[in-house]
């Protein structure tokens, strides 16, 4: 307990960095994945190309990506931007298929009705298709954000501060407590973010809750 109390400020700072490095790429990945998923859902020919290419992104080892990105972006090896870009790519890889399949599952009659009412393609996407696909997209977001919480820890090997730093500190000092604290906080952060995404999904789909209670 003395170690935790003495390092409480640093632990709080590392947790805040970890949360930011997990959430920001998830949001950026979602913003990029929505148009890609919409494009893929509209064309059977494009679907396998977009889904296959995005899926390949997730096979790139995170450490290799963290090391290569500074050379591509012209950043320093310790720049958090490298982590943000890498995890944004992973988020895109996880979300594109979910969004494409979610949009493709929107009832054809609903899409036709919106078209008949004069909705343009982008209006139909924003006001009809995306709201209907929110439950599926929310499920993908929960997977993406929890996955990012885990992958961020690998950046500690490059010296970027976040909860993974507690793992490297514990290993270098041969102390178990920092490693345990880091693991527990990663688990807590994952649960909190998962609950927040789930709550946001429910808030955006009030009609689904009414259907469940009916």
């Amino acid at each position: 307990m003395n170690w935790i109390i003495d390092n409480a400020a640093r632990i709080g700072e590392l947790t805040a960095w970890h949360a930011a490095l997990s959430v920001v790429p998830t949001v950026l990945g979602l913003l990029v994945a929505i148009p890609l998923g919409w494009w893929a859902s509209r064309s059977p020919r494009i679907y396998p190309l977009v889904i296959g290419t995005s899926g390949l992104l997730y096979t790139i080892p995170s450490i290799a990506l963290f090391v290569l990105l500074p050379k591509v972006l012209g950043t320093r090896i310790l720049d958090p931007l490298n982590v943000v870009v890498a995890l944004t790519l992973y988020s895109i890889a996880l979300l594109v298929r979910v969004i494409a399949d979610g949009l493709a599952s929107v009832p054809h009659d609903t899409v036709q009705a919106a078209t008949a009412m004069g909705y343009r393609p982008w209006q139909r996407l924003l006001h009809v298709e995306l709201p209907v696909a929110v439950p599926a997209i929310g499920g993908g977001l929960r997977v993406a954000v929890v996955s990012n919480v885990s992958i961020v820890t690998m950046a500690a090997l490059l010296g970027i501060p976040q909860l993974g730093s507690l793992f490297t500190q514990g290993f270098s000092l041969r102390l178990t407590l920092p490693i345990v604290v880091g693991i527990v906080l990663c688990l807590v952060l994952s649960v909190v973010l998962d609950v927040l995404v789930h709550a946001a999904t429910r808030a955006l789909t009030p009609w689904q809750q009414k259907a469940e209670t009916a």
Side-chain angles (χ1 to χ4, degrees):
M1 288 300 297
N2 289 335
W3 182 89
I4 296 176
I5 294 172
D6 293 341
N7 293 274
R10 180 171 179 268
I11 292 173
E13 183 180 352
L14 293 176
T15 303
W17 269 107
H18 201 106
L21 291 173
S22 301
V23 173
V24 172
T26 305
V27 174
L28 294 176
L30 175 64
L31 295 177
V32 175
I34 286 176
L36 287 175
W38 178 81
W39 185 33
S41 69
R42 287 294 172 272
S43 174
R45 293 183 179 180
I46 295 298
Y47 180 90
L49 176 62
V50 173
I51 301 303
T53 302
S54 62
L56 286 175
L57 294 175
Y58 206 77
T59 65
I60 304 174
S62 56
I63 289 296
L65 197 54
F66 292 154
V67 172
L68 288 174
L69 279 175
K71 299 179 180 179
V72 175
L73 301 176
T75 55
R76 295 178 295 107
I77 191 71
L78 297 180
D79 196 327
L81 179 62
N82 302 320
V83 180
V84 172
V85 172
L87 294 185
T88 297
L89 293 175
Y90 288 140
S91 297
I92 293 171
L94 289 173
L95 292 173
V96 167
R97 179 187 290 274
V98 172
I99 293 172
D101 292 345
L103 292 175
S105 68
V106 176
H108 186 64
D109 292 343
T110 302
V111 176
Q112 282 189 321
T115 302
M117 293 174 63
Y119 281 81
R120 295 182 179 180
W122 66 270
Q123 292 175 318
R124 191 177 61 214
L125 172 66
L126 293 177
H127 299 294
V128 178
E129 296 173 89
L130 278 178
V132 175
V134 161
I137 297 173
L141 273 176
R142 294 172 70 180
V143 173
V145 74
V146 170
S147 176
N148 283 346
V149 170
S150 175
I151 298 175
V152 167
T153 59
M154 300 298 293
L157 297 176
L158 303 179
I160 297 175
Q162 29 73 31
L163 290 175
S165 302
L166 297 177
F167 302 158
T168 56
Q169 179 184 1
F171 179 78
S172 62
L173 298 178
R174 297 184 180 180
L175 294 175
T176 303
L177 184 57
I179 298 174
V180 173
V181 170
I183 292 173
V184 170
L185 288 177
C186 283
L187 290 173
V188 171
L189 183 59
S190 295
V191 171
V192 170
L193 294 177
D194 181 75
V195 169
L196 289 175
V197 174
H198 180 62
T201 301
R202 290 181 63 84
L204 292 171
T205 55
W207 61 86
Q208 190 173 38
Q209 298 176 44
K210 293 179 181 178
E212 292 175 355
T213 56

